[in-house]
Amino acid sequence: MLVSMYALTGNMTEAQDVVAEAFVRAVSKRENILAADSPEACLPRTVARNIAVSRWKRAKTPGVAAQTRGRP
């Protein structure tokens, strides 16, 4: 999944953050995930992709983009 998120974000640090956040969200909603027919298919990859896309959309603003990449 890390490789997929790296391909999507183009930044290894951002990809690691996205994957970590996806797993944190998955753990917090584990009851819903376990009730799904195929939890491994839908989560956390779908969540990670959604997180990455949301961050990308927010990063369209120059000030936000610099902050998310750790630059002043």
Side-chain angles (χ1 to χ4, degrees):
M1 185 165 52
L2 181 59
V3 173
S4 298
M5 293 304 106
Y6 176 67
L8 183 63
T9 63
N11 181 304
M12 183 56 79
T13 303
E14 186 74 14
Q16 291 169 336
D17 288 346
V18 166
V19 170
E21 187 174 339
F23 277 102
V24 167
R25 288 185 187 185
V27 168
S28 69
K29 298 183 183 208
R30 65 184 167 268
E31 293 83 17
N32 296 344
I33 296 166
L34 294 174
D37 291 335
S38 181
E40 69 280 353
C42 66
L43 215 70
R45 182 170 294 169
T46 301
V47 173
R49 186 189 64 222
N50 292 343
I51 293 167
V53 169
S54 294
R55 288 182 177 195
W56 176 79
K57 287 179 181 177
R58 281 185 299 208
K60 285 185 176 182
T61 306
V64 175
Q67 290 173 5
T68 58
R69 293 197 175 39
R71 290 183 244 144

